[in-house]
Structures are given as structure tokens and as C-alpha cells.
Amino acid sequence: MTGRYANIIADISHEKLDRTFQYIIPDALQGRLEPGTAVMIPFGAGNKLIRGYVMEITDRAEYDVGKLKSVESVIEDAVTPEGDALRLAGWIKEHYGSTMIAALKTVLPVKRKLKPVVKRTICALEDADTLKLAAHDFEKKHQVAKARLLHELSVQPALPYSLVVGKLGVSPQTLRSLENAGLIRLEAHEAYKNSMPQGGAPGWQKKDVRQLSEAQLHIVNEIQTEYEAGIRGTYLIHGVTGSGKTEVYMELIERVRAMGKQAIVLIPEIALTYQTLIRFYRRFGERVSVMNSRLSPGERSDRYECARRGEIDIMIGPRSALFTPFERLGLVIIDEEHESGYKSESMPKYHAREVAGELCRIKRASLVLGSATPSIETYYRAKQGEIRLFTLKERLAGGALPQVRVEDMRRELKEGNRSIFSRRLYALMAERLKKGEQTMLFLNRRGYAGFVSCRACGHVMKCPHCDVSLSEHNVPHSGRMDGFSAAGRLVCHYCGYETPGVTKCPECGSKYILGFRAGTQQVEELLKKEFPNARVLRMDADTTRTKGSYEKILSAFANEEADILVGTQMIVKGHDFAGVTLVGILAADMSLHRNDFRAGERTFQLLTQAAGRAGRGTLGGEVVIQTYQPENYAIVHASRQDYEGFFEEELSYRDLMLYPPVAGMLAVLVLADDELLGAARARELADCAAKSFGAGGAAVIGPSGAGIGKINDVYRFVFYVKHRDYSVLVEVKDALERLIADRQWNSESVQFDFNPMSSY
């Protein structure tokens, strides 16, 4: 990487990331520096030589050149987690379009100076017999708390202070009294915050390792053979629900750990359940740590520090866990790799799957992707031979996949049933309640529908230019470029096409054309009305707001304290309930006709994942899919669990419409306090994008007002650029960044999103 100047940071804690220092790159070091390179630089009035890290190479001097100092030297072989993080940040900046500061704050964990956690333990000072005698004496004196504690200590001579005070109800005053009597001692020591789930403790008994099937063992051996041969590949494990992908992951981790390496396991936030994590803890004990969004900054900092110090070998968590500062990283696993949660919605808008690939390249590690319903992009790469594909076609327990039935809600309507439940689903739920078996009801989207369809014939109002459904707008849409009110209109969130709202179906003339408006709460209320004796749990964003509520609901259902669980997407992500023999999917069309070219793929994935929750125990399972378009290819293939058939049909559609993965797509979001200024900037940038193409084969769609035209008094405009060559889109992004710099616009006023996971 060439350039005359280097922007360098001398202290890479988060608190200092808003300040860089520019240095001249001397001729002797030209071509040797890149983001992440460790260097020695003269610093401060005394020009003391200190270590710094190159953040950016540039030809633009930000200060008076006569006052700039020069880089002293390159620190050879300075391979550190920080240096690798900076290299990764440089790649993110270039690949996704953001400032280097924003990229660094993404990849570098916050360092916080915190008071150490003090762990306190109650230890017995006498043998078990003496403690029992003393407990008996206290019972005679009606000193129940003292007696209860001494009885416990006679069995377990050391107990956590929190357990004694909390679960046993022993007061600190009582503890001091027993300590003064010479029966116990209170010990305290500093420690990092415990990363074990509730119920886990250091030194607990690990379960025996499960015997792998022949198919599972084949995958592990093949990946290990390539690893030992120096091949650091990318692999996709395509396994049906319940096929044992997690066992493969754990065996791979075991083997790379035996080579002295560390591993990162990414799991969607929504699937980070106690049930999932406990399997890793029982296999690997205290060498595991967990990252999730509900941790405090101090807890996150502690866990990153444990990783930096080499005290753990495995980090499990959502996409942020990818940036764990492991020095000896050997393996990255991304479970449920198709999940949209792996894509960041804030700048830089990176995808964890792509960043993991670059991280593995930097670290010389292997990348394993797993899913029952791989993303079209990943499976396309596998078909192209870019990554190696493995398949697991049978459930680990040997059970059959559930029987899936598709119910046509158009026929239900014609025959007089206007209920949320089809007659078949109602009958099957009643049957499960009689048998004492469990049911899960999955509502495909929470709250309201953004599309308009006919309940009589299934026709959906679509954009004639983008082949995505039009969204219903019943409130003034202030983001339009011509200022026209969009009240009562149908709008395309890609190109801005609009048409007046409809009251009758243009295909069959029916008056039953509207958005589906049933939410999880309405379903719950109807269930309680129809089945008053049923125990119903609801799980959605409203019922899981408080800490621990998510786990509480799932635990209650797993313990069979409820007959029916109603919920949104969060109930279908990797959960394993042996008592569930029926899954009902309400309103499959709600995701099928979102204003998004991935709507078909997401519907197929959701339906397949939801269906996979049924029949995971010894009992068989049934699934009922309710839809107004039973002939839609996504629903047909999902009902058959036919991924290959869906992939081929979906890919032909993507190829025709120039959508990923056949082509790349760049979304450019323009933000402005003034509506007219925002519209003008969006038009200028769109024109620049159109001019920056070489020879044809590209398309610029828009600009138009975003789906949500104004947030916090900031107007939003968007346009899209599509091209079959992804590198061309990067060049377009570079051209737009140059224009923004020349115009001296606020860098935050324009955001880039490559292959966006949803429309704006």
C-alpha cells in the first residue's frame, strides 16, 4: 500500500480512538506500511520513541507538512491481536465504506478500568460430625438459619456466599456469629466476572462425549485432514434440522484445541439459550466464555480480557464475538449462517460471514458455516466450488421429519371460516390438548403487514419494475422527493414507484383486499377463548423486554408448564422441545410478500426452521402451514423440505432481476436535516454512480424517499446500484466517497450498505 503519509494511533483503547497523529512515511519505508502495521514513532515534546499502529495510508496531508514527524521504523514480526484487528478494520473500511474510526470501534473491544469482582466463599472449619452436632444444638434453640447452613456445610464444606445469603436465606449477621464461634470462615478473592451460565461452577462434572455418526465423523476427519495439511478452507455443513451439526462443531473445536488453537462460535442472539450453551460448557468446562447483548460493558471487557490473557479457548456469541482478541485463533464457526442478524444495521454495515472470511485469512484459520437452510449466497458459492459442501441428511435421533400440511386460507374463507385458525389446525390443537402433548404457533410477522393482498384469490399488489410487493402507506410520507403526500397509496421501497391504494382486487374484484393485522397478543386471546383450559405462553418482543424473561418462558415451556407457545421468529431458532408434536404456522404470506427481494428466501427458511421444531422427540410431528398462496414456490418447497428445488428456482429469479448472489447490490442512504437538500444530494450521487460505470451491465435504481422518510427530524433518501461484478460496486463507492470529500459533506450524511439484508 503506497502513500506519503500515515495516520497512526499510539494507544488503541477505545477512549483514544477519536485521535490519530499523522506522520510522514520516509522513502526507506515506502510500500512497507499498511493498516495494522506496528511501528515506532517519535511522540511528544521529547520525541520519545513509542509503539504505534498504522490506521490509514493517504496522500493528503492533514496538517502543515513542515511540522509533521516521520515514522522511525517498522516493528518486525509484531503479530498481535491488536495489529490483526487493525488490519481487519482497514479491510472493513475499504470493503463496506465507513471511517477508519468507526471500523476500529467495531473490531476493538473497549478497555475499561473496573473494580475487580470479589468472589466470597463460606468454608467449614470443623468436620462433618462436629457441624451436625452444632446444627442440632441450634435447632433446639430455634436458630433455624444457623442450623440450615451447618447442615449444608456438613455435606459440602465450601459454599458460595451468594448461594448462602440468597438461596439459603442466611443473613450476614448470622454468618458473623458463626465465624466468631469458630465454625466457619469467610474467604474472599478477586476474580473476573463469571462467564458460566446459572447452575454452572468450576470443576463440575463433564458429560461423556457423544459418539459421532459415520456422516458426522466424515466431515470432522475431512476438515482436520485439510487443516493438518496447511489448508485453511471455508466449509458449509448443510444439515436438516436435528441432524447434529452442533456435535460436529464441538468435535472440530476439540481437535483444533489439541493443536494449541482457539475457536470462535457465532450463534444468532436469538438462539443463545441455556439449552444450547450448556452443551459447550459440559464439553469444555471453564475454557468457554459467552458474549451477548445483555452483558454490561464491564462484563464484556472482562471476557475480552480473559481471551487476551489466554485464559479461555472458546468464545460463543452473536456477531460481536467475532472480534474476540484471540492470539492463536484456529477456527471460526458460524451456526445458522443464513440469519439476517449477522448483518450490522449500523455503520459500518458489515456482514459477519464476510468479515469472518477475512479474519480467517489474516489469522490462518478455517471457517465453518452451518445451516439447515443456507443463504442463497453461501450455497451459490458452494455450487461454484469456492467453498466445500458437506451434507447431513438424517436426524441424529433417527426420527423422521414431520408431516407437513398446507392449508389454503382462500378456501377456508369461501367456506365461511373467518378465524385465524384453519379447521385442520383447530382440530389438531384440540387433539394435542387431549393427549397432553405440546403445540407451537408461529406468527410469521409481528404486528401488521406492509403488503396488500386479496384474501379471496391470493393476488398481491407488486411493483412492475422491481418484482417486490408494494407497501401500504396510510400516513403522510414526508420523504418523497416531490413532496407529494403518500397517504392511502402503495409504494415500492426500492425504486419509489407509487400507485393509489385499492379497495377491490384487480384480478377477481373481491372486496377482501387488505393487510393481515393479527398479532401474537390477538392469537393468545383467541386461544384462551377457544381453549379456556389450555395453558398458553406468549413470546415476542413485548414479553421478553426484561432481563431473564426470554429464558424464563423457554424454561417453563421445556418443563411442560404450558401446552401452547405462541410467538414470533424467536421461538423457531434452534430450540429443541421433545414434547412438541404440532407446529402451526399462521399467515405464511406475511414474510412471503415483504418489500424485499429476499422475501421468498426468508419465507422458505422460516417455514423450514419452524417445521423443524416438531417431532424432535420419540413422538412423531405434524406441521400446518396456513397461506393464501399455497402454490407459491417458496411454500411448496418448504412443505417438502426441498432446499435444492427452492435454490434452483430462487436463483433463476435472482439472475433475471440482477439480484445477489448473481449480481452485487449497493444501497446508498442519504441523510439530511433539510428535505430539498437531501433530495438534491441523493440525485447528485446517483448521477455520479451512473457515470462511474465502465461498459454497461449495470443499473441505478432511484433515488427515492426511503420507506421511513424521516426519523428524528432527519430526512432519508435512498438509491440502489446493481452490477454483476462486485468490484465495480466498490469502485462506485470509492467514486462517491471522493465526491463527498470534495463537497466537504458530513461523512455521516451518506451511508453505504453492500448487499443489504432489507430494503430502506
Side-chain angles (χ1 to χ4, degrees):
M1 187 173 289
T2 59
R4 298 174 59 195
Y5 309 101
N7 292 326
I8 295 174
I9 193 161
D11 182 344
I12 56 175
S13 66
H14 259 194
E15 291 80 358
K16 305 289 179 66
L17 281 183
D18 58 349
R19 182 71 171 95
T20 61
F21 300 90
Q22 193 167 71
Y23 286 80
I24 296 171
I25 303 175
D27 292 341
L29 298 181
Q30 281 291 332
R32 295 183 61 191
L33 305 186
E34 63 178 11
T37 301
V39 294
M40 296 300 291
I41 51 174
F43 193 79
N47 287 326
K48 178 183 177 181
L49 289 179
I50 65 170
R51 177 190 290 247
Y53 290 91
V54 177
M55 292 177 61
E56 189 175 14
I57 306 295
T58 179
D59 282 318
R60 177 180 293 184
E62 298 176 1
Y63 308 96
D64 181 355
V65 176
K67 296 181 180 180
L68 294 181
K69 302 173 184 179
S70 296
V71 177
E72 177 69 22
S73 62
V74 173
I75 302 176
E76 302 293 344
D77 301 322
V79 179
T80 65
E82 291 84 1
D84 288 341
L86 281 163
R87 292 183 183 91
L88 188 62
W91 183 88
I92 288 174
K93 173 190 178 296
E94 182 66 23
H95 201 73
Y96 296 105
S98 75
T99 63
M100 188 64 176
I101 293 292
L104 275 170
K105 287 184 176 180
T106 297
V107 305
L108 288 175
V110 179
K111 293 179 182 176
R112 294 178 181 266
K113 293 182 179 180
L114 300 164
K115 293 181 180 179
V117 178
V118 177
K119 284 191 174 181
R120 292 185 287 180
T121 306
I122 308 299
C123 300
L125 293 179
E126 299 289 350
D127 59 34
D129 291 336
T130 303
L131 292 174
K132 288 177 182 178
L133 287 173
H136 184 65
D137 289 339
F138 285 127
E139 285 173 348
K140 289 180 179 179
K141 299 174 184 178
H142 302 290
Q143 296 178 354
V144 180
K146 291 181 180 179
R148 183 165 57 244
L149 175 57
L150 294 182
H151 275 304
E152 291 292 336
L153 288 172
S154 69
V155 178
Q156 181 70 36
L159 293 170
Y161 179 88
S162 58
L163 177 68
V164 170
V165 174
K167 296 286 186 182
L168 297 182
V170 181
S171 69
Q173 293 88 343
T174 299
L175 293 177
R176 282 196 294 270
S177 175
L178 290 173
E179 192 170 20
N180 292 335
L183 293 170
I184 67 170
R185 180 177 64 242
L186 180 62
E187 294 184 352
H189 64 277
E190 294 182 358
Y192 284 98
K193 290 183 173 65
N194 189 11
S195 64
M196 309 290 276
Q198 187 179 6
W204 61 357
Q205 184 65 41
K206 299 179 187 177
K207 277 196 171 181
D208 292 336
V209 178
R210 296 182 188 178
Q211 186 71 34
L212 296 184
S213 69
E214 186 176 335
Q216 289 173 311
L217 196 58
H218 170 74
I219 296 172
V220 172
N221 289 339
E222 287 293 303
I223 294 175
Q224 182 184 10
T225 298
E226 291 196 354
Y227 195 96
E228 291 176 340
I231 299 171
R232 301 294 187 266
T234 299
Y235 310 90
L236 170 62
I237 303 176
H238 177 203
V240 299
T241 54
S243 59
K245 294 184 289 295
T246 302
E247 294 299 329
V248 174
Y249 303 154
M250 290 195 290
E251 184 63 25
L252 286 170
I253 292 169
E254 190 77 79
R255 297 194 184 190
V256 298
R257 283 184 69 235
M259 302 177 199
K261 298 293 185 179
Q262 298 157 315
I264 294 171
V265 182
L266 299 191
I267 299 175
E269 176 80 40
I270 207 166
L272 274 172
T273 64
Y274 180 89
Q275 186 183 48
T276 301
L277 299 177
I278 204 70
R279 298 172 67 182
F280 284 91
Y281 285 114
R282 285 176 174 163
R283 180 77 176 262
F284 303 108
E286 298 172 53
R287 304 303 296 180
V288 178
S289 190
V290 176
M291 193 69 60
N292 62 60
S293 63
R294 297 187 179 183
L295 295 179
S296 69
E299 289 171 321
R300 296 172 71 88
S301 181
D302 276 355
R303 295 182 190 190
Y304 278 133
E305 192 60 30
C306 285
R308 194 189 311 277
R309 289 152 51 116
E311 295 173 3
I312 59 172
D313 301 322
I314 305 160
M315 180 65 82
I316 304 174
R319 63 173 185 264
S320 60
L322 184 61
F323 307 114
T324 301
F326 278 144
E327 190 168 346
R328 296 173 283 105
L329 183 66
L331 178 66
V332 175
I333 294 169
I334 304 182
D335 190 31
E336 308 291 358
E337 65 83 30
H338 64 277
E339 280 292 328
S340 59
Y342 287 128
K343 179 69 179 285
S344 171
E345 294 302 318
S346 58
M347 293 295 289
K349 298 189 176 184
Y350 69 92
H351 198 297
R353 185 176 58 227
E354 297 166 353
V355 175
E358 179 63 16
L359 176 64
C360 288
R361 186 193 68 79
I362 292 172
K363 290 284 195 179
R364 292 286 299 146
S366 291
L367 175 61
V368 174
L369 310 171
S371 176
T373 54
S375 66
I376 297 297
E377 287 87 345
T378 298
Y379 205 73
Y380 180 76
R381 289 181 62 202
K383 287 289 190 180
Q384 297 292 309
E386 296 178 26
I387 60 182
R388 189 169 177 187
L389 173 65
F390 296 103
T391 58
L392 291 171
K393 298 181 179 180
E394 297 179 355
R395 284 190 160 180
L396 194 60
L401 290 171
Q403 181 181 4
V404 181
R405 294 185 172 94
V406 178
E407 290 301 305
D408 187 346
M409 298 304 286
R410 299 171 302 187
R411 187 176 68 246
E412 295 285 321
L413 179 65
K414 288 177 182 177
E415 295 176 0
N417 180 20
R418 297 188 181 183
S419 168
I420 295 172
F421 307 127
S422 65
R423 289 166 295 183
R424 183 188 296 274
L425 179 57
Y426 185 94
L428 289 174
M429 284 193 293
E431 180 184 300
R432 262 46 182 196
L433 289 170
K434 287 181 181 178
K435 291 181 177 180
E437 297 170 3
Q438 291 178 297
T439 297
M440 294 175 71
L441 294 181
F442 165 50
L443 187 61
N444 210 354
R445 191 182 174 195
R446 181 171 170 264
Y448 64 92
F451 71 95
V452 173
S453 66
C454 176
R455 298 295 179 253
C457 73
H459 175 73
V460 175
M461 300 297 294
K462 285 194 171 186
C463 174
H465 309 295
C466 303
D467 196 35
V468 296
S469 65
L470 297 172
S471 291
E472 186 179 26
H473 285 253
N474 290 322
V475 295
H477 183 73
S478 56
R480 279 191 46 77
M481 304 189 72
D482 57 10
F484 185 87
S485 171
R489 298 180 69 81
L490 300 176
V491 182
C492 174
H493 290 171
Y494 280 120
C495 69
Y497 169 83
E498 290 190 5
T499 188
V502 294
T503 56
K504 288 187 177 182
C505 176
E507 288 291 310
C508 71
S510 168
K511 63 179 180 180
Y512 295 108
I513 183 162
L514 71 163
F516 187 94
R517 300 190 180 279
T520 50
Q521 187 172 358
Q522 184 179 347
V523 174
E524 180 188 26
E525 291 170 356
L526 183 59
L527 281 170
K528 290 179 178 178
K529 179 182 176 182
E530 297 290 339
F531 305 106
N533 295 323
R535 298 168 298 169
V536 181
L537 284 173
R538 175 164 60 95
M539 188 170 181
D540 55 24
D542 292 329
T543 62
T544 56
R545 292 184 189 278
T546 59
K547 190 171 184 179
S549 56
Y550 183 89
E551 292 79 7
K552 184 178 179 180
I553 294 171
L554 289 177
S555 296
F557 193 64
N559 294 333
E560 299 189 2
E561 296 170 16
D563 304 303
I564 303 174
L565 175 62
V566 181
T568 52
Q569 294 184 23
M570 60 180 69
I571 73 169
V572 302
K573 308 295 184 181
H575 306 307
D576 192 344
F577 302 114
V580 172
T581 60
L582 175 63
V583 171
I585 300 170
L586 311 180
D589 311 83
M590 293 179 81
S591 63
L592 183 61
H593 298 299
R594 289 184 62 184
N595 191 293
D596 181 1
F597 74 87
R598 287 191 173 90
E601 177 184 6
R602 286 182 172 163
T603 298
F604 176 84
Q605 290 168 343
L606 281 170
L607 299 187
T608 304
Q609 294 283 345
R613 299 313 106 204
R616 296 176 74 96
T618 56
L619 302 173
E622 290 183 88
V623 179
V624 176
I625 298 174
Q626 297 185 171
T627 175
Y628 289 92
Q629 283 197 322
E631 69 281 355
N632 184 278
Y633 71 102
I635 291 175
V636 171
H637 291 303
S639 68
R640 298 171 181 168
Q641 306 279 291
D642 179 14
Y643 181 86
E644 283 283 350
F646 170 77
F647 172 79
E648 295 298 335
E649 197 159 348
E650 178 71 11
L651 194 65
S652 63
Y653 155 69
R654 302 277 184 97
D655 188 30
L656 179 66
M657 299 302 298
L658 211 64
Y659 286 131
V662 179
M665 190 175 187
L666 169 64
V668 183
L669 180 67
V670 180
L671 309 172
D673 294 333
D674 180 86
E675 185 174 11
L676 294 178
L677 176 63
R681 286 183 174 178
R683 173 53 61 192
E684 185 176 4
L685 288 169
D687 290 343
C688 174
K691 292 175 183 176
S692 64
F693 289 116
V700 177
I701 306 170
S704 70
I708 301 177
K710 186 169 68 170
I711 299 178
N712 292 333
D713 294 321
V714 176
Y715 293 90
R716 297 153 46 90
F717 300 88
V718 67
F719 65 91
Y720 298 86
V721 186
K722 296 192 288 188
H723 199 282
R724 290 187 182 273
D725 186 347
Y726 188 94
S727 64
V728 171
L729 297 182
V730 176
E731 293 174 10
V732 171
K733 182 266 299 180
D734 292 343
L736 296 181
E737 285 183 327
R738 288 192 294 270
L739 175 62
I740 293 166
D742 291 342
R743 298 289 191 272
Q744 295 186 330
W745 295 347
N746 180 348
S747 62
E748 297 300 318
S749 66
V750 180
Q751 297 181 4
F752 301 100
D753 190 357
F754 285 86
N755 293 340
M757 297 303 290
S758 59
S759 65
Y760 287 90

